[in-house]
């Protein structure tokens, strides 16, 4: 019975890693589409976001089977319950990357390539998501803590981007719609960073049994 349970836990781990890799890919695509004003790249985001949604349903089903059909001990229970929480944040990351790619289509072929702050914010956000996935794979609380600390960096970039875009609107009101689109993109990156923090928090919980929200 335990060997079957261990096989299913291994399957859960593999599927979580696959879902995390999809999240990394979808954010990187959305970011490249933005900086290069590449509508073909932007169009590749939605199918990947849909695949993330399918992964969420598959992993949720597996977790429920493990909980209902097996009798997990405390550590296993933490791993399963953390996975259930994490996939919600991963699914939202996919949705928000899709939202970014959709806005790219509204920019009229203009890129954000010259906006260094927004580009650096995107890089920092991708690092956070990659770090949160690595922390899960390695069960590494130190990496998870680093992800949580990096949230301040992304938040700082958001405030700087917002300030620059307010200046842009004030200097050129006719360009206001473009600036607001970029502000919305920055907000989505900031939210993705928040989801990475949530994932890192659940990694810590799965290893230690302690959660920052408690």
């Amino acid at each position: 019975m335990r060997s079957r349970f261990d096989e299913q836990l291994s399957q859960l781990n593999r599927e979580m890693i696959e879902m995390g890799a999809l999240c990394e890919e979808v954010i990187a695509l959305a970011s490249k589409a933005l900086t290069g004003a590449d509508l073909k790249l932007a169009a590749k985001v939605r199918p990947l976001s849909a695949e993330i949604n399918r992964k969420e349903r598959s992993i949720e089903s597996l977790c429920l089977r493990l909980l209902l059909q097996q009798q997990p001990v405390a550590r296993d229970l933490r791993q399963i319950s953390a996975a259930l929480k994490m996939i919600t944040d991963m699914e939202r990351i996919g949705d928000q990357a899709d939202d970014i790619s959709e806005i790219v289509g509204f920019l009229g072929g203009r890129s954000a390539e010259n906006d260094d702050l927004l580009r650096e914010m995107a890089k920092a956000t991708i690092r956070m998501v990659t770090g949160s996935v690595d922390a899960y794979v390695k069960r590494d609380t130190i990496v998870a803590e680093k992800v949580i600390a990096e949230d301040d960096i992304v938040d700082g970039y958001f405030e700087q981007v917002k300030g620059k875009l307010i200046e842009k609107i004030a200097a050129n009101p006719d360009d206001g719609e473009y600036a607001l689109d970029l502000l919305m993109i920055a907000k989505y990156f900031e939210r993705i960073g928040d989801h990475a923090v949530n994932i890192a928090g659940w990694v810590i919980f799965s290893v230690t049994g302690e959660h920052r929200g408690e």
Side-chain angles (χ1 to χ4, degrees), residues 8-210:
Q8 289 178 312
L9 278 181
S10 295
Q11 181 187 350
L12 172 61
N13 191 54
R14 288 193 301 272
E15 294 209 26
M16 290 291 291
I17 292 169
E18 289 171 7
M19 189 175 182
L22 283 170
C23 287
E24 293 177 48
E25 184 178 0
V26 81
I27 303 168
L29 271 176
S31 178
K32 287 178 182 177
L34 171 66
T35 57
D38 192 326
L39 297 183
K40 288 184 178 179
L41 274 182
K44 293 180 179 180
V45 171
R46 179 150 295 179
L48 287 174
S49 178
E51 179 61 26
I52 289 171
N53 291 344
R54 286 191 290 271
K55 274 288 183 189
E56 181 193 26
R57 293 191 293 271
S58 173
I59 292 171
E60 183 179 52
S61 176
L62 175 56
C63 287
L64 292 176
R65 288 200 306 274
L66 284 165
L67 291 172
L68 295 173
Q69 297 174 6
Q70 308 289 347
Q71 294 181 327
V73 297
R75 179 182 176 184
D76 298 331
L77 186 60
R78 289 200 307 268
Q79 182 179 349
I80 297 165
S81 58
L84 279 168
K85 295 288 188 179
M86 291 165 64
I87 59 175
T88 299
D89 283 292
M90 288 182 177
E91 187 270 338
R92 288 175 181 165
I93 286 172
D95 286 347
Q96 282 154 6
D98 187 27
D99 290 333
I100 291 169
S101 68
E102 185 176 6
I103 295 174
V104 169
F106 300 152
L107 296 180
R110 296 176 66 178
S111 73
E113 188 170 357
N114 294 324
D115 196 327
D116 293 338
L117 281 173
L118 192 56
R119 188 165 63 250
E120 290 304 313
M121 184 182 184
K123 289 179 182 177
T125 305
I126 293 169
R127 280 198 307 272
M128 287 182 69
V129 173
T130 300
S132 67
V133 174
D134 285 347
Y136 175 80
V137 172
K138 298 171 183 174
R139 297 181 62 79
D140 191 328
T141 59
I142 294 175
V143 173
E145 292 283 4
K146 183 179 177 182
V147 170
I148 293 169
E150 287 179 342
D151 190 44
D152 288 340
I153 296 173
V154 171
D155 288 347
Y157 276 131
F158 176 71
E159 291 302 322
Q160 291 181 67
V161 168
K162 182 169 68 173
K164 291 290 186 181
L165 290 174
I166 289 171
E167 291 175 7
K168 186 189 292 283
I169 293 171
N172 188 1
D174 292 340
D175 221 13
E177 185 174 350
Y178 169 75
L180 288 174
D181 281 340
L182 292 183
L183 180 60
M184 185 62 70
I185 287 172
K187 186 62 181 176
Y188 283 133
F189 278 126
E190 190 259 347
R191 288 177 180 170
I192 289 171
D194 289 342
H195 292 307
V197 167
N198 290 344
I199 293 168
W202 287 113
V203 169
I204 293 170
F205 168 77
S206 72
V207 175
T208 67
E210 297 178 1

